Amino acid sequence: MTIVVFVKITPDTARLGADPRSGEPRIQQAPCRISTFDENALEEAVRLAEAHGGRVIVISLSHAAPPRELLLKALAMGADEIRMITDPSAREADALATATILSRALRLLGDFDVALCGEGSIDEYGRQVGPRIAEAMGIPVVTRVEKAEAGTGTFVVDRVLEDRIETVEARLPVLLTVGAEINQPRLPTVLQILGASRKPIIEWSLADLGFEKGSVAAMAGVRTIEINAPGDDRQGALIPGESAVEMAGNLAHELAVKGLAGSR
Ligand SMILES: Cc1cc2nc3c(=O)[nH]c(=O)nc-3n(C[C@H](O)[C@H](O)[C@H](O)COP(=O)(O)OP(=O)(O)OC[C@H]3O[C@@H](n4cnc5c(N)ncnc54)[C@H](O)[C@@H]3O)c2cc1C
């Protein structure tokens, strides 16, 4: 079985600060990480390969070479190889351009059985790239997958929704998108980390994929004008009191005065 995982290297949003005056996020200063749900996608791919045999290939697109330790982490988690597409013009990519590039890369790889994406990336969370890749490839897509089992020429998957669990069967090749609920990504062992540096990281340029200079901007139909942190309207009020009971009473009084709570 050939399993492809799309992995996005993103700024670590948990460690992303914002300029206190302009509210603009300080993206360049934030350390990078593998987008969280993509770690789940990779974990699921490795589990499928362990259960059924096969190879796990990671494809990633970035505007700049990502920190090597992140690529080694993906390999240490169990990926067999990485196809890294790096081009400064990836900055101008929207979901359409990203999916167009990634689907071209998938086609160049050749036959595959299943492709996995995160449900959404932790930075942009557009939730478009997976379904758009499937559309470009003309293959079925199942989103919000929480359990995946390989059948004969098919995949049987559970989609867990708010009010029900759907079990669906999709023919191969198929693209699945997953979130945090599907598994707990493994922490690689020291041996796996040491072994990772012997696995291949193959660099692809946009030219290798047949794109001409300037084509990313031409493909992108959505342009982000501005990104700002939402305003912080917390008041930081301290509720006085000598005991928990007194503090609770004062809190109730404060909420009632502000009209936020009270007895009928
Ligand atoms: C202001 C701005 C600045 C940007 N700067 C950069 C930049 O500096 N560098 C850069 O590379 N891009 C940049 N982009 C492109 C952008 O971050 C996304 O790659 C693109 O818009 C996809 O949207 P998303 O992350 O919401 O995808 P989603 O649809 O939320 O992603 C879902 C899943 O698709 C897969 N996926 C998505 N993107 C990639 C990827 N690039 N590689 C592999 N798998 C992927 C992952 O599995 C991911 O979990 C920028 C975009 C904007 C608007």
Side-chain angles (χ1 to χ4, degrees):
M1 187 182 283
T2 301
I3 307 161
V4 178
V5 189
F6 292 100
V7 167
K8 183 178 179 186
I9 307 295
T10 62
D12 187 345
T13 48
R15 294 156 76 188
L16 180 65
D19 185 301
R21 266 187 289 179
S22 66
E24 237 176 84
R26 292 176 169 145
I27 295 170
Q28 302 306 330
Q29 280 100 314
C32 291
R33 59 161 296 152
I34 295 176
S35 188
T36 45
F37 297 159
D38 298 358
E39 288 190 350
N40 297 99
L42 179 54
E43 174 64 32
E44 202 56 27
V46 174
R47 288 185 191 191
L48 286 168
E50 284 167 350
H52 305 284
R55 289 178 64 67
V56 176
I57 302 168
V58 164
I59 300 181
S60 186
L61 166 71
S62 181
H63 70 285
R68 189 169 160 76
E69 69 262 23
L70 292 183
L71 301 183
L72 291 179
K73 181 181 179 187
L75 293 168
M77 282 178 71
D80 293 290
E81 62 177 84
I82 295 180
R83 305 290 171 123
M84 188 66 232
I85 311 156
T86 309
D87 194 288
S89 67
R91 266 186 202 286
E92 294 154 45
D94 65 351
L96 171 61
T98 301
T100 306
I101 296 165
L102 294 178
S103 55
R104 186 80 67 88
L106 188 53
R107 204 160 270 137
L108 199 64
L109 268 187
D111 288 344
F112 67 96
D113 299 285
V114 56
L116 286 143
C117 275
E119 189 180 301
S121 65
I122 46 164
D123 59 346
E124 305 259 323
Y125 201 59
R127 296 189 293 172
Q128 295 189 30
V129 170
R132 279 185 180 278
I133 294 172
E135 167 72 17
M137 301 295 292
I139 61 169
V141 56
V142 188
T143 55
R144 288 189 63 99
V145 170
E146 290 200 15
K147 192 170 147 210
E149 271 168 22
T152 315
T154 63
F155 251 79
V156 179
V157 305
D158 282 355
R159 304 182 67 235
V160 180
L161 306 173
E162 224 163 76
D163 56 347
R164 62 190 183 278
I165 299 173
E166 276 180 3
T167 302
V168 301
E169 186 182 42
R171 67 172 156 73
L172 304 184
V174 63
L175 189 142
L176 310 176
T177 76
V178 307
E181 303 79 12
I182 193 165
N183 57 40
Q184 180 66 43
R186 70 192 65 191
L187 284 174
T189 62
V190 175
L191 221 59
Q192 286 165 329
I193 292 168
L194 292 176
S197 57
R198 286 192 293 273
K199 293 182 179 177
I201 300 174
I202 296 161
E203 308 276 348
W204 271 344
S205 67
L206 287 185
D208 291 333
L209 300 179
F211 290 104
E212 287 173 11
K213 220 173 159 41
S215 54
V216 175
M219 278 188 282
V222 175
R223 185 173 65 87
T224 301
I225 298 167
E226 203 175 27
I227 302 177
N228 282 305
D232 184 356
D233 55 2
R234 280 182 293 182
Q235 291 169 18
L238 280 176
I239 306 296
E242 293 296 319
S243 66
V245 173
E246 195 185 337
M247 280 188 266
N250 288 339
L251 174 61
H253 175 73
E254 194 72 16
L255 292 173
V257 167
K258 288 191 155 68
L260 298 172
S263 52
R264 285 166 189 241

Short mmCIF file of all heavy atoms in Angstrom, two decimals, residues 6-8 35 38 59-63 90-91 93-95 98 102 116-121 123-130 224 227, ligand 1:
data_model
loop_
_atom_site.label_atom_id
_atom_site.label_comp_id
_atom_site.label_asym_id
_atom_site.label_seq_id
_atom_site.Cartn_x
_atom_site.Cartn_y
_atom_site.Cartn_z
N PHE A 6 0.12 14.70 3.44
CA PHE A 6 0.46 16.11 3.19
C PHE A 6 0.72 16.79 4.53
O PHE A 6 -0.16 16.83 5.40
CB PHE A 6 -0.67 16.80 2.43
CG PHE A 6 -0.80 16.29 1.03
CD1 PHE A 6 -1.77 15.36 0.70
CD2 PHE A 6 0.10 16.71 0.06
CE1 PHE A 6 -1.85 14.86 -0.59
CE2 PHE A 6 0.03 16.21 -1.23
CZ PHE A 6 -0.95 15.28 -1.56
N VAL A 7 1.92 17.29 4.67
CA VAL A 7 2.35 17.87 5.95
C VAL A 7 2.72 19.34 5.74
O VAL A 7 3.56 19.66 4.90
CB VAL A 7 3.56 17.08 6.50
CG1 VAL A 7 4.22 17.82 7.65
CG2 VAL A 7 3.11 15.69 6.96
N LYS A 8 2.08 20.19 6.49
CA LYS A 8 2.38 21.62 6.38
C LYS A 8 3.24 22.05 7.58
O LYS A 8 2.91 21.73 8.72
CB LYS A 8 1.08 22.43 6.36
CG LYS A 8 1.32 23.92 6.17
CD LYS A 8 0.01 24.68 6.10
CE LYS A 8 0.28 26.17 5.93
NZ LYS A 8 -0.92 26.98 5.99
N SER A 35 2.19 21.09 11.55
CA SER A 35 0.81 21.42 11.89
C SER A 35 0.18 20.24 12.66
O SER A 35 0.34 19.09 12.25
CB SER A 35 0.04 21.73 10.61
OG SER A 35 -1.23 22.22 10.91
N ASP A 38 -1.66 17.38 11.12
CA ASP A 38 -0.81 16.64 10.17
C ASP A 38 0.01 15.58 10.90
O ASP A 38 0.37 14.55 10.33
CB ASP A 38 0.10 17.60 9.40
CG ASP A 38 -0.72 18.58 8.58
OD1 ASP A 38 -1.96 18.48 8.59
OD2 ASP A 38 -0.12 19.45 7.93
N ILE A 59 4.56 14.68 1.57
CA ILE A 59 4.76 15.79 0.62
C ILE A 59 4.50 17.09 1.38
O ILE A 59 3.51 17.21 2.09
CB ILE A 59 3.79 15.70 -0.58
CG1 ILE A 59 3.98 14.40 -1.36
CG2 ILE A 59 3.98 16.91 -1.50
CD1 ILE A 59 3.07 14.26 -2.59
N SER A 60 5.41 18.04 1.23
CA SER A 60 5.25 19.32 1.93
C SER A 60 5.65 20.46 1.01
O SER A 60 6.61 20.34 0.24
CB SER A 60 6.11 19.32 3.19
OG SER A 60 5.86 20.48 3.94
N LEU A 61 4.92 21.56 1.10
CA LEU A 61 5.22 22.76 0.31
C LEU A 61 5.52 23.91 1.26
O LEU A 61 4.75 24.14 2.21
CB LEU A 61 4.00 23.13 -0.56
CG LEU A 61 4.00 24.52 -1.20
CD1 LEU A 61 5.04 24.61 -2.32
CD2 LEU A 61 2.62 24.85 -1.76
N SER A 62 6.62 24.61 1.02
CA SER A 62 6.95 25.73 1.91
C SER A 62 7.67 26.83 1.13
O SER A 62 8.29 26.56 0.10
CB SER A 62 7.83 25.22 3.04
OG SER A 62 8.12 26.28 3.91
N HIS A 63 7.59 28.06 1.65
CA HIS A 63 8.26 29.17 0.97
C HIS A 63 9.77 29.16 1.25
O HIS A 63 10.53 29.79 0.54
CB HIS A 63 7.66 30.50 1.42
CG HIS A 63 8.01 30.85 2.83
ND1 HIS A 63 7.41 30.24 3.90
CD2 HIS A 63 8.93 31.71 3.34
CE1 HIS A 63 7.92 30.73 5.01
NE2 HIS A 63 8.83 31.62 4.70
N ALA A 90 5.65 30.42 -2.66
CA ALA A 90 4.59 29.74 -1.89
C ALA A 90 3.92 30.71 -0.92
O ALA A 90 2.79 30.49 -0.49
CB ALA A 90 5.17 28.55 -1.12
N ARG A 91 4.61 31.80 -0.60
CA ARG A 91 4.01 32.87 0.24
C ARG A 91 2.73 33.41 -0.38
O ARG A 91 1.85 33.89 0.31
CB ARG A 91 4.99 34.04 0.34
CG ARG A 91 5.88 34.02 1.52
CD ARG A 91 6.67 35.32 1.54
NE ARG A 91 7.88 35.18 2.33
CZ ARG A 91 7.91 35.13 3.64
NH1 ARG A 91 6.80 35.22 4.31
NH2 ARG A 91 9.05 34.99 4.28
N ALA A 93 0.64 31.74 -2.15
CA ALA A 93 -0.35 30.70 -2.45
C ALA A 93 -1.58 30.83 -1.57
O ALA A 93 -1.47 31.06 -0.37
CB ALA A 93 0.28 29.32 -2.24
N ASP A 94 -2.76 30.69 -2.16
CA ASP A 94 -3.97 30.50 -1.37
C ASP A 94 -4.28 29.00 -1.41
O ASP A 94 -3.47 28.20 -1.90
CB ASP A 94 -5.12 31.36 -1.92
CG ASP A 94 -5.52 30.94 -3.32
OD1 ASP A 94 -4.82 30.10 -3.92
OD2 ASP A 94 -6.54 31.45 -3.82
N ALA A 95 -5.44 28.62 -0.90
CA ALA A 95 -5.76 27.18 -0.85
C ALA A 95 -5.83 26.56 -2.25
O ALA A 95 -5.39 25.43 -2.45
CB ALA A 95 -7.08 26.98 -0.11
N THR A 98 -2.22 26.21 -3.51
CA THR A 98 -1.55 25.15 -2.73
C THR A 98 -2.01 23.77 -3.20
O THR A 98 -1.20 22.88 -3.45
CB THR A 98 -1.86 25.33 -1.22
OG1 THR A 98 -1.42 26.62 -0.82
CG2 THR A 98 -1.18 24.27 -0.38
N LEU A 102 0.15 20.80 -4.88
CA LEU A 102 0.27 19.50 -4.19
C LEU A 102 -0.32 18.36 -5.03
O LEU A 102 0.19 17.24 -5.02
CB LEU A 102 -0.40 19.57 -2.82
CG LEU A 102 0.28 20.52 -1.81
CD1 LEU A 102 -0.49 20.57 -0.50
CD2 LEU A 102 1.73 20.10 -1.54
N LEU A 116 -3.56 11.30 2.97
CA LEU A 116 -4.10 11.84 4.23
C LEU A 116 -3.72 13.30 4.38
O LEU A 116 -2.58 13.69 4.09
CB LEU A 116 -3.55 11.05 5.41
CG LEU A 116 -4.14 9.65 5.59
CD1 LEU A 116 -3.09 8.69 6.07
CD2 LEU A 116 -5.31 9.69 6.56
N CYS A 117 -4.66 14.10 4.86
CA CYS A 117 -4.41 15.51 5.15
C CYS A 117 -4.93 15.78 6.55
O CYS A 117 -5.84 15.10 7.03
CB CYS A 117 -5.23 16.40 4.22
SG CYS A 117 -4.48 16.72 2.64
N GLY A 118 -4.40 16.84 7.16
CA GLY A 118 -5.04 17.35 8.36
C GLY A 118 -6.38 17.96 7.96
O GLY A 118 -6.55 18.39 6.82
N GLU A 119 -7.29 17.98 8.91
CA GLU A 119 -8.60 18.58 8.62
C GLU A 119 -8.44 20.07 8.28
O GLU A 119 -9.13 20.60 7.42
CB GLU A 119 -9.46 18.41 9.87
CG GLU A 119 -10.89 18.77 9.69
CD GLU A 119 -11.63 18.56 11.01
OE1 GLU A 119 -11.62 17.42 11.51
OE2 GLU A 119 -12.16 19.54 11.53
N GLY A 120 -7.54 20.72 8.97
CA GLY A 120 -7.23 22.13 8.70
C GLY A 120 -5.86 22.39 9.29
O GLY A 120 -5.41 21.67 10.18
N SER A 121 -5.18 23.41 8.78
CA SER A 121 -3.85 23.72 9.34
C SER A 121 -4.01 24.59 10.58
O SER A 121 -5.00 25.32 10.70
CB SER A 121 -3.00 24.43 8.29
OG SER A 121 -3.57 25.69 8.00
N ASP A 123 -2.42 27.23 11.39
CA ASP A 123 -2.30 28.69 11.20
C ASP A 123 -3.46 29.27 10.40
O ASP A 123 -4.15 30.17 10.84
CB ASP A 123 -0.93 29.07 10.61
CG ASP A 123 -0.63 28.43 9.28
OD1 ASP A 123 -1.33 27.48 8.89
OD2 ASP A 123 0.32 28.88 8.62
N GLU A 124 -3.74 28.74 9.24
CA GLU A 124 -4.78 29.35 8.40
C GLU A 124 -6.15 28.69 8.58
O GLU A 124 -7.18 29.32 8.38
CB GLU A 124 -4.38 29.25 6.93
CG GLU A 124 -3.03 29.83 6.63
CD GLU A 124 -3.14 31.20 6.02
OE1 GLU A 124 -4.07 31.42 5.24
OE2 GLU A 124 -2.32 32.04 6.36
N TYR A 125 -6.15 27.40 8.87
CA TYR A 125 -7.35 26.61 9.11
C TYR A 125 -8.42 26.82 8.03
O TYR A 125 -9.61 27.02 8.32
CB TYR A 125 -7.94 26.92 10.50
CG TYR A 125 -8.85 25.81 11.00
CD1 TYR A 125 -8.37 24.53 11.16
CD2 TYR A 125 -10.19 26.06 11.28
CE1 TYR A 125 -9.20 23.51 11.60
CE2 TYR A 125 -11.02 25.04 11.72
CZ TYR A 125 -10.52 23.78 11.88
OH TYR A 125 -11.34 22.75 12.30
N GLY A 126 -7.97 26.79 6.78
CA GLY A 126 -8.92 26.98 5.68
C GLY A 126 -9.80 25.76 5.44
O GLY A 126 -10.91 25.87 4.92
N ARG A 127 -9.30 24.57 5.78
CA ARG A 127 -10.01 23.30 5.60
C ARG A 127 -10.41 23.06 4.14
O ARG A 127 -11.43 22.45 3.87
CB ARG A 127 -11.25 23.22 6.51
CG ARG A 127 -10.85 23.23 7.97
CD ARG A 127 -12.01 22.93 8.85
NE ARG A 127 -12.98 23.99 8.80
CZ ARG A 127 -14.19 23.94 9.37
NH1 ARG A 127 -14.57 22.85 9.99
NH2 ARG A 127 -15.00 24.94 9.32
N GLN A 128 -9.60 23.59 3.22
CA GLN A 128 -9.94 23.45 1.80
C GLN A 128 -8.98 22.54 1.05
O GLN A 128 -9.36 21.92 0.06
CB GLN A 128 -9.87 24.82 1.12
CG GLN A 128 -10.88 25.81 1.61
CD GLN A 128 -10.86 27.05 0.73
OE1 GLN A 128 -10.57 26.99 -0.46
NE2 GLN A 128 -11.16 28.19 1.32
N VAL A 129 -7.72 22.52 1.51
CA VAL A 129 -6.67 21.92 0.69
C VAL A 129 -6.93 20.43 0.40
O VAL A 129 -6.82 19.99 -0.74
CB VAL A 129 -5.27 22.16 1.32
CG1 VAL A 129 -4.20 21.34 0.62
CG2 VAL A 129 -4.93 23.65 1.25
N GLY A 130 -7.31 19.66 1.42
CA GLY A 130 -7.57 18.23 1.20
C GLY A 130 -8.64 18.00 0.14
O GLY A 130 -8.37 17.36 -0.90
N THR A 224 -4.86 37.78 1.11
CA THR A 224 -5.10 38.27 2.47
C THR A 224 -4.64 39.71 2.56
O THR A 224 -3.49 40.02 2.24
CB THR A 224 -4.35 37.40 3.50
OG1 THR A 224 -4.82 36.06 3.35
CG2 THR A 224 -4.60 37.86 4.92
N ILE A 227 -3.82 40.77 8.67
CA ILE A 227 -4.11 39.82 9.75
C ILE A 227 -3.89 40.55 11.06
O ILE A 227 -2.83 41.14 11.28
CB ILE A 227 -3.18 38.58 9.70
CG1 ILE A 227 -3.32 37.86 8.35
CG2 ILE A 227 -3.50 37.62 10.84
CD1 ILE A 227 -2.39 36.67 8.18
C1 LIG B 1 -0.75 36.22 4.37
C2 LIG B 1 -0.32 34.86 3.93
C3 LIG B 1 1.00 34.50 4.09
C4 LIG B 1 1.40 33.25 3.71
N1 LIG B 1 2.68 32.94 3.91
C5 LIG B 1 3.12 31.72 3.58
C6 LIG B 1 4.46 31.38 3.81
O1 LIG B 1 5.25 32.17 4.33
N2 LIG B 1 4.87 30.12 3.45
C7 LIG B 1 4.00 29.21 2.89
O2 LIG B 1 4.43 28.08 2.57
N3 LIG B 1 2.71 29.51 2.68
C8 LIG B 1 2.24 30.74 3.00
N4 LIG B 1 0.94 31.05 2.74
C9 LIG B 1 0.06 30.06 2.14
C10 LIG B 1 -0.90 29.49 3.15
O3 LIG B 1 -0.31 29.44 4.45
C11 LIG B 1 -1.46 28.09 2.92
O4 LIG B 1 -0.49 27.15 2.55
C12 LIG B 1 -2.58 27.97 1.97
O5 LIG B 1 -3.39 29.09 1.96
C13 LIG B 1 -3.41 26.72 2.39
O6 LIG B 1 -4.41 27.08 3.32
P1 LIG B 1 -4.60 26.43 4.76
O7 LIG B 1 -3.33 26.38 5.50
O8 LIG B 1 -5.77 27.13 5.33
O9 LIG B 1 -4.95 24.93 4.39
P2 LIG B 1 -5.97 23.94 5.03
O10 LIG B 1 -6.96 23.65 3.98
O11 LIG B 1 -6.45 24.36 6.37
O12 LIG B 1 -4.99 22.69 5.23
C14 LIG B 1 -5.51 21.39 5.39
C15 LIG B 1 -4.44 20.39 5.20
O13 LIG B 1 -3.93 20.47 3.86
C16 LIG B 1 -2.53 20.13 3.88
N5 LIG B 1 -1.73 21.31 3.50
C17 LIG B 1 -2.10 22.61 3.50
N6 LIG B 1 -1.08 23.39 3.12
C18 LIG B 1 -0.04 22.56 2.90
C19 LIG B 1 1.31 22.75 2.49
N7 LIG B 1 1.80 23.96 2.25
N8 LIG B 1 2.11 21.65 2.35
C20 LIG B 1 1.63 20.40 2.58
N9 LIG B 1 0.36 20.17 2.98
C21 LIG B 1 -0.45 21.22 3.12
C22 LIG B 1 -2.22 19.71 5.31
O14 LIG B 1 -2.45 18.33 5.44
C23 LIG B 1 -3.23 20.52 6.10
O15 LIG B 1 -3.49 19.99 7.38
C24 LIG B 1 0.51 32.31 3.12
C25 LIG B 1 -0.82 32.69 2.95
C26 LIG B 1 -1.23 33.94 3.35
C27 LIG B 1 -2.66 34.29 3.18
#
